[in-house]
Amino acid sequence: MASSAHSRGSLRTERQVPPARGNGGGNPPARSRSSSAKRSLRVSSDDDKDSGRVRVAIRVRPKTTEEHDLDFTDCVELQPELRRLKLKKNNWSSESYKFDEVFTESASQRRVYEAVAKPVVESVLDGYNGTVMAYGQTGTGKTYTVGRLGKDDPSERGIMVRALEDIFANISPGSDIMAISYLQLYLETIQDLLAPEKTNIPVVEDPKTGEVSLPGSAIVQIKDLDQFLELLQVGEANRHAANTKLNTESSRSHAVLVVHINRSLEGKKENDASSLANVANSELSSHHLPHRLKSKLLIVDLAGSERIDKSGIEGHMIEETKFINLSLTSLGKCINALAENSRYIPTRESKLTRLLRDSFGGTARTSLIVTVGPSAQYYSETASTIMFGQRAMKVVNAVKLKEEVDYESLCRKLEYHVDYLTSETDRQQKLRENEKEQLEKKLKEKEAFLVETEKQFSVKYEHLEKERNHLELETQNLLKELNIQKSEKDKLSQEVGHLEISLKQAKQQELENLNYQKVLASTTHMYEKKIAQLIKQLEDESSRCADLEEQLSGIRHYLSGNKKSVQMQEKEVDELKREILKLNEDAASTIQSLRARNNELSLEKELLNGELKTLKDKLLYEDRKRRCLEDEIIILKNALNDDNAEYESKRPYKGDATTRSMLSLGGPANIPKSNRSRETISGQKDTISKIFEEGKTVNVVANLAAEGICLHLHFADVNQERIVEEGGLDTLLLLLESSEDANIHRVTAGAVANLAMNSSNQGLIMGKGGARLLANIASKTEDPQTLRMIAGAIANLCGNEKLHVTLKKDGGIKALLGMVQCGHSDVVAQVARGFANFAKCESRVFVIVCSKGHRKGRSLLIEDGVLNWMATNSATFSASTRRHIELSLCHLAQNEDNTLEIIRSGGIKELIRISQESSREDTRNLAKKALDSNPAFSAEIHAT
Ligand code: ADP
Ligand code: MG
């Protein structure tokens, strides 16, 4: 079972840990630590300087029931958060100590492991030696802390079991090796607990490396935790048996568990990619040497540190205690010396110190857990234990990496490499030989080929030599020839030069010729054209010459004929001259007689002028007389009206219309008349009686008409009314409609014209279709008198604006315009008057309507062409007609709705003329007013 883990020929090397780093200095860095190890004995930041320092924790055991019963007061008081322990000597004296960790009674095994042992275990796994040691008085819990198996309760497991657990979890089973030795040191002898037969095992120190070994002790390779637990149990059993045999207790011996760890760097790399060892590995690999980490973990459960006097033992026991204490005392001394940096460390004084040579003042990472009981009865032991711990805290180790070159694997690798190289060399050798053979063969072939080629070459050379000679000869001949040709060429080139010059000249001449030819051609062409023209002209001229000659001969012929007649005419002229002379003489005599006659007539004219003057004076006198008479008539008329009213009120009976009319007509006594009017009436009556011969109705109407003519003389108002009342108007209109007689038409129209002077009659006339009848007659007759009557009648109707629309509809306006065609000045005067009446009424109505805020629309005269006629003809008629037309235009111009038409018809020019030239001032003003007030007129004037 036990086997040696030491490999052959390994050379152990140690490397000092690089200076402390922030993560804990000498501790192997970056290993995956358990998170539960929140507070471990690892280097804290303030301990950076002494990373290899021995870490010391203190653990206080819970009180036993006995201690409880005895009711001793505690001599220790813990301040775990300050990592302090207060040791109370008595109630008034105490001392405080600082540790790396302070565990109370309730501290769990797990926490103790993680804080005290785990960092050491990890360090060991990283290739450093490590030591975890428990120190304390018997019964304070060293074995409990370190060696408890915890089979029934895993939480009870001590440091040994937990450390092995950790190691198993971290090593690679294939490449890493883990083995243990379990030993007991009692009375300075070392006994193998795994192989109890092995007693007195020596502690051997390698003089070169200082490595301590226990030759002969069993080093058992462990595969799993169960195997370890078994071994540990075996060891415990062996310890118990040995102690029984030796009649002693386990508390009097020191138990040492040695865990050997041998790790390959490759395997470790897999587990720990970035450890410090990895740095070393990379260094090693740079030398291409395989390395292994070989570290050791010592877990030591020391014997009790109580003093002899307190243990109450004697005899053998004393001896025993002495030895036990030799080791412990020696340990204490060493620690003191180390703590004080003494030059001499008494390591060799005991086996324990020799065994722990690397743990204190060596290269290992060391954690010490000191255990104390709480009870005051062990005050001095507790105090000495605390002091031991305090001193141990001062020991600083130089932690070093334990690595070795793995020569075994190196050798294997090299052998493999040598084998590979040997076979490779053989292969290459073989290849080279083959190559050499082939090359030799090729060389031979080439040599043969060379000989053959040389032969061919010499033959060719000879041939070429001959050819060369021949060619040289030829060359010489050619050179001679060339020289001859050269001189010839020179001559030729000279000639060529000459030729070129002449060629250039010829070319230039040619060019000039060409141009000249062109000019010649164009000139020729031009001349040809001209010649052709001239020929044509010549031809024309010759033909004309022929004609002229012909004419000339004709003329000559004619002239010869004429000569004779000229001679005859000359004779005639002479005769005529004579006759003229005679006539002149006659005329002179006539003029003389005429002048005499003229003088006579002038005398006569003077006489007539005198007569005319007397007549004018007479006329003036007559006029004045007429005015007096008119005044008289008015007075008489008023008197007549009064009489008439009296008569009407007294009249008892109304006879038939005809009779009454006749009566009234036949009663001239009622009406005062001047002699002249009486004459006129009697003249007209004659005409009427002539008409009356045509029939009964005509008789009546003739009288009415006669009466109508009387109205002309301002006596008619009463009669008019009566005539109308008696149906006279109807009769007149009937006559107009039915009669074909021109005279009746004339007289009737005159009567209607008179009636139409009265506004109430105007309505009746229009109502009974009078206007239409008048227009009808106007279209049929050419008699100026009839037309004058009709025009007068319609002109009167034009003065009533209420009748305008009907008048237009019945053709009154058209009839008026049509009557202008007759050209009779009286008729035209009536027509102009009618239009003036019409326009004036419209203008008046327009003013009224405008004042009420709305428009009437354009003039009714426009549609029938009246405006056009007026605009073009105003200046062509007599003064009175022109005045009427001017007035009409001015009135029409007052209405803005007529503007457009006035502009179109050219009336605006007429208006301008009226405004400047009209004989009447009021008309001029009216025209000016229209032109000024209408912006359209202004714009039009501006535009033209
Ligand atoms: P030592 O090895 O120091 O002589 P032991 O480990 O044998 O002491 O402990 C003595 C007794 O005290 C044992 O019964 C043990 O179980 C108990 N004991 C020690 N420490 C503790 C502790 N921390 N918690 C509970 N029991 C403890
Ligand atoms: Mg014990």
Side-chain angles (χ1 to χ4, degrees):
M1 194 163 102
S3 71
S4 169
H6 288 279
S7 54
R8 65 179 164 108
S10 66
L11 178 70
R12 199 171 170 95
T13 59
E14 288 180 345
R15 289 157 169 270
Q16 192 133 14
V17 174
R21 285 179 279 180
N23 70 343
N27 279 324
R31 166 168 287 278
S32 58
R33 311 292 188 214
S34 164
S35 60
S36 60
K38 289 184 187 98
R39 286 171 61 188
S40 68
L41 296 194
R42 298 174 63 192
V43 184
S44 61
S45 58
D46 51 343
D47 285 337
D48 279 352
K49 280 176 273 175
D50 50 359
S51 60
R53 184 174 64 76
V54 173
R55 310 279 146 180
V56 182
I58 190 158
R59 186 182 197 185
V60 179
R61 171 181 52 74
K63 273 186 179 174
T64 59
T65 41
E66 191 190 343
E67 282 165 347
H68 272 294
D69 293 344
L70 286 170
D71 197 25
F72 275 108
T73 50
D74 289 352
C75 65
V76 288
E77 192 183 302
L78 300 179
Q79 294 170 303
E81 63 288 347
L82 297 173
R83 300 176 192 177
R84 284 191 170 276
L85 177 140
K86 213 189 249 178
L87 181 65
K88 295 190 278 189
K89 199 173 183 175
N90 43 50
N91 283 340
W92 56 91
S93 168
S94 68
E95 284 197 48
S96 181
Y97 300 97
K98 184 163 177 148
F99 287 90
D100 289 309
E101 196 64 58
V102 171
F103 298 111
T104 60
E105 296 89 329
S106 59
S108 70
Q109 289 281 74
R110 180 195 171 100
R111 202 160 75 75
V112 172
Y113 167 76
E114 283 177 348
V116 175
K118 194 174 174 84
V120 180
V121 171
E122 284 170 350
S123 184
V124 170
L125 282 167
D126 285 339
Y128 301 89
N129 283 344
T131 305
V132 180
M133 192 169 77
Y135 179 93
Q137 192 190 350
T138 302
T140 51
K142 296 184 295 295
T143 306
Y144 179 83
T145 302
V146 169
R148 188 87 169 186
L149 290 178
K151 269 192 151 185
D152 304 325
D153 181 359
S155 70
E156 293 274 276
R157 285 172 301 175
I159 286 169
M160 282 176 182
V161 182
R162 287 178 192 269
L164 266 289
E165 255 177 356
D166 255 5
I167 290 163
F168 275 123
N170 283 289
I171 59 168
S172 342
S175 58
D176 298 344
I177 301 157
M178 206 262 285
I180 58 158
S181 303
Y182 194 22
L183 307 149
Q184 177 177 246
L185 177 59
Y186 177 65
L187 296 178
E188 289 304 293
T189 43
I190 296 172
Q191 190 179 8
D192 194 333
L193 291 177
L194 299 178
E197 67 283 356
K198 293 178 182 174
T199 52
N200 214 1
I201 293 167
V203 178
V204 179
E205 215 175 305
D206 190 317
K208 279 183 191 166
T209 61
E211 192 72 23
V212 176
S213 61
L214 300 162
S217 65
I219 301 172
V220 183
Q221 203 173 323
I222 311 288
K223 301 282 180 208
D224 52 35
L225 192 69
D226 288 339
Q227 190 195 352
F228 171 71
L229 288 174
E230 262 173 44
L231 280 176
L232 213 56
Q233 269 180 292
V234 169
E236 281 306 309
N238 288 338
R239 193 182 182 187
H240 181 72
N243 289 341
T244 314
K245 198 175 161 186
L246 292 168
N247 193 22
T248 181
E249 281 173 43
S250 60
S251 63
R252 299 176 190 219
S253 67
H254 311 289
V256 181
L257 175 74
V258 187
V259 183
H260 306 269
I261 295 173
N262 185 334
R263 303 188 75 186
S264 84
L265 276 171
E266 281 78 24
K268 190 182 170 316
K269 249 190 260 173
E270 284 163 24
N271 280 352
D272 183 1
S274 57
S275 69
L276 189 68
N278 206 23
V279 178
N281 177 40
S282 66
E283 283 170 21
L284 286 174
S285 60
S286 67
H287 300 297
H288 305 291
L289 291 173
H291 278 72
R292 289 188 77 85
L293 297 173
K294 280 192 169 181
S295 52
K296 245 190 275 179
L297 171 66
L298 297 185
I299 302 174
V300 184
D301 179 9
L302 289 175
S305 60
E306 61 273 5
R307 279 164 40 183
I308 304 158
D309 55 320
K310 279 266 168 98
S311 58
I313 47 175
E314 288 164 9
H316 168 71
M317 288 294 178
I318 295 168
E319 192 65 19
E320 185 190 89
T321 311
K322 208 172 86 189
F323 275 111
I324 292 165
N325 284 322
L326 175 70
S327 286
L328 286 176
T329 314
S330 162
L331 181 65
K333 277 183 190 169
C334 284
I335 283 170
N336 280 347
L338 285 164
E340 287 156 18
N341 280 328
S342 292
R343 279 193 175 178
Y344 176 69
I345 315 294
T347 319
R348 296 191 168 273
E349 282 186 6
S350 72
K351 278 195 174 161
L352 181 69
T353 50
R354 284 169 70 195
L355 202 63
L356 297 175
R357 186 181 173 352
D358 200 37
S359 305
F360 293 93
T363 62
R365 184 174 302 286
T366 301
S367 278
L368 177 68
I369 177 144
V370 290
T371 55
V372 290
S375 177
Q377 60 179 320
Y378 305 115
Y379 169 79
S380 56
E381 285 82 359
T382 303
S384 82
T385 305
I386 287 168
M387 289 322 293
F388 179 86
Q390 288 292 302
R391 280 193 295 275
M393 276 178 81
K394 289 177 183 164
V395 177
V396 179
N397 292 349
V399 181
K400 277 179 189 166
L401 189 73
K402 305 293 177 185
E403 60 184 5
E404 280 181 5
V405 177
D406 188 0
Y407 287 103
E408 206 171 324
S409 66
L410 182 68
C411 192
R412 267 202 311 279
K413 273 183 188 167
L414 285 172
E415 271 171 9
Y416 170 80
H417 198 63
V418 166
D419 286 348
Y420 171 76
L421 286 173
T422 311
S423 64
E424 188 65 14
T425 314
D426 286 352
R427 206 168 53 81
Q428 293 289 339
Q429 185 74 23
K430 183 82 185 149
L431 274 172
R432 264 199 295 278
E433 275 170 10
N434 286 347
E435 217 168 282
K436 196 184 159 191
E437 266 173 33
Q438 276 181 352
L439 283 169
E440 277 173 352
K441 208 175 159 187
K442 270 187 189 169
L443 191 68
K444 273 177 191 168
E445 281 172 7
K446 294 282 172 195
E447 274 171 358
F449 177 72
L450 197 69
V451 170
E452 184 65 24
T453 314
E454 269 176 355
K455 269 183 200 169
Q456 283 175 1
F457 180 73
S458 61
V459 171
K460 265 189 187 170
Y461 182 76
E462 275 170 25
H463 179 73
L464 282 170
E465 190 71 14
K466 274 180 198 168
E467 222 167 83
R468 194 179 68 89
N469 291 336
H470 179 71
L471 281 170
E472 265 177 3
L473 260 174
E474 260 183 24
T475 314
Q476 277 171 0
N477 290 338
L478 281 169
L479 271 171
K480 276 178 198 167
E481 219 172 286
L482 194 71
N483 282 334
I484 295 161
Q485 278 182 359
K486 224 180 192 177
S487 61
E488 267 176 24
K489 196 198 126 195
D490 286 348
K491 277 179 196 169
L492 280 170
S493 61
Q494 268 181 359
E495 257 172 56
V496 167
H498 290 309
L499 282 170
E500 271 176 352
I501 292 162
S502 56
L503 191 73
K504 267 183 193 168
Q505 285 170 349
K507 264 187 184 168
Q508 198 149 357
Q509 213 163 356
E510 202 178 47
L511 260 171
E512 280 169 13
N513 283 347
L514 210 71
N515 288 339
Y516 178 71
Q517 269 176 9
K518 274 183 192 166
V519 173
L520 209 64
S522 63
T523 321
T524 312
H525 188 66
M526 194 183 80
Y527 279 123
E528 273 173 2
K529 264 189 183 173
K530 270 190 180 171
I531 286 163
Q533 279 176 356
L534 285 169
I535 286 167
K536 210 180 165 198
Q537 271 180 16
L538 203 67
E539 279 171 0
D540 292 349
E541 288 295 315
S542 58
S543 70
R544 238 169 66 193
C545 260
D547 289 349
L548 286 170
E549 271 172 8
E550 230 172 76
Q551 278 179 11
L552 200 68
S553 67
I555 288 165
R556 272 178 192 154
H557 186 74
Y558 176 73
L559 276 175
S560 66
N562 271 11
K563 242 180 188 177
K564 286 173 193 168
S565 69
V566 166
Q567 282 167 357
M568 276 166 71
Q569 279 171 2
E570 274 174 350
K571 276 179 193 169
E572 271 175 38
V573 166
D574 288 342
E575 268 177 38
L576 281 170
K577 273 179 182 171
R578 276 193 295 274
E579 237 174 83
I580 287 165
L581 276 170
K582 206 181 158 198
L583 280 171
N584 274 348
E585 282 164 11
D586 291 350
S589 64
T590 315
I591 288 165
Q592 264 185 339
S593 65
L594 279 172
R595 274 184 185 146
R597 177 76 184 136
N598 188 32
N599 288 337
E600 277 171 32
L601 284 172
S602 306
L603 282 170
E604 217 171 303
K605 189 188 162 193
E606 272 172 33
L607 281 171
L608 283 170
N609 273 343
E611 240 174 273
L612 188 70
K613 211 188 165 210
T614 46
L615 275 171
K616 266 183 183 171
D617 293 341
K618 243 187 193 177
L619 200 67
L620 274 172
Y621 170 76
E622 284 296 321
D623 194 45
R624 253 179 256 135
K625 219 171 150 186
R626 187 180 61 84
R627 272 188 210 141
C628 292
L629 282 169
E630 273 175 3
D631 293 342
E632 213 177 306
I633 286 163
I634 290 162
I635 297 158
L636 285 169
K637 221 176 171 184
N638 290 339
L640 185 72
N641 279 344
D642 297 342
D643 291 349
N644 223 27
E646 211 177 310
Y647 167 78
E648 283 293 318
S649 60
K650 287 171 187 171
R651 192 169 51 145
Y653 167 72
K654 282 182 184 174
D656 71 274
T658 316
T659 323
R660 261 182 283 137
S661 298
M662 292 305 287
L663 278 171
S664 63
L665 285 168
N670 293 338
I671 309 154
K673 289 171 191 165
S674 74
N675 292 337
R676 202 172 140 210
S677 58
R678 222 174 271 154
E679 277 167 28
T680 319
I681 293 162
S682 65
Q684 285 183 347
K685 269 186 180 173
D686 288 346
T687 320
I688 293 162
S689 46
K690 210 167 129 197
I691 295 162
F692 271 35
E693 282 163 19
E694 287 182 358
K696 272 185 191 173
T697 325
V698 178
N699 261 334
V700 179
V701 177
N703 279 323
L704 284 166
E707 181 60 28
I709 293 159
C710 287
L711 291 171
H712 234 351
L713 300 170
H714 310 286
F715 298 100
D717 288 359
V718 179
N719 291 326
Q720 258 189 47
E721 272 175 40
R722 223 180 280 164
I723 289 164
V724 173
E725 264 173 35
E726 301 297 337
L729 180 60
D730 292 347
T731 317
L732 282 171
L733 296 177
L734 192 70
L735 266 175
L736 271 181
E737 196 171 18
S738 56
S739 177
E740 296 291 328
D741 187 77
N743 286 325
I744 289 175
H745 283 165
R746 186 173 64 243
V747 176
T748 317
V752 174
N754 282 314
L755 288 175
M757 285 170 83
N758 181 294
S759 64
S760 58
N761 290 344
Q762 285 167 353
L764 284 169
I765 292 164
M766 284 305 295
K768 291 172 191 290
R772 195 166 13 87
L773 287 171
L774 288 167
N776 188 35
I777 302 294
S779 69
K780 284 177 186 167
T781 186
E782 279 176 12
D783 174 39
Q785 289 309 315
T786 312
L787 288 172
R788 187 170 69 90
M789 293 303 167
I790 293 170
I794 298 175
N796 288 342
L797 293 172
C798 283
N800 190 338
E801 69 274 3
K802 289 175 197 157
L803 306 174
H804 278 181
V805 177
T806 324
L807 189 62
K808 187 182 175 295
K809 208 166 71 188
D810 289 351
I813 309 294
K814 266 188 190 159
L816 273 182
L817 202 59
M819 282 184 275
V820 172
Q821 300 298 322
C822 81
H824 198 279
S825 61
D826 287 348
V827 179
V828 177
Q830 287 305 318
V831 169
R833 185 175 67 85
F835 289 149
N837 279 347
F838 201 102
K840 199 174 175 182
C841 285
E842 267 190 349
S843 171
R844 198 166 58 223
V845 173
F846 164 73
V847 170
I848 295 160
V849 168
C850 278
S851 68
K852 285 181 184 171
H854 52 89
R855 296 288 166 101
K856 193 196 173 207
R858 65 176 199 168
S859 170
L860 294 172
L861 291 174
I862 287 168
E863 236 169 77
D864 290 331
V866 175
L867 180 61
N868 278 339
W869 175 75
M870 288 195 297
T872 45
N873 294 295
S874 65
T876 57
F877 299 106
S878 67
S880 73
T881 307
R882 196 187 303 165
R883 221 172 41 243
H884 283 309
I885 292 174
E886 281 174 1
L887 206 61
S888 305
L889 276 170
C890 289
H891 282 304
L892 288 177
Q894 303 306 312
N895 181 0
E896 269 177 30
D897 291 338
N898 298 332
T899 306
L900 202 65
E901 287 300 325
I902 288 169
I903 292 168
R904 262 189 212 159
S905 64
I908 191 157
K909 219 188 266 175
E910 201 51 33
L911 279 169
I912 294 164
R913 187 192 65 74
I914 295 162
S915 70
Q916 291 161 355
E917 294 173 10
S918 178
S919 58
R920 289 180 65 128
E921 198 191 349
D922 54 346
T923 312
R924 284 202 302 276
N925 289 339
L926 209 56
K928 275 178 200 159
K929 187 188 155 200
L931 288 170
D932 292 343
S933 64
N934 193 332
F937 286 149
S938 311
E940 180 66 17
I941 291 162
H942 202 68
T944 53

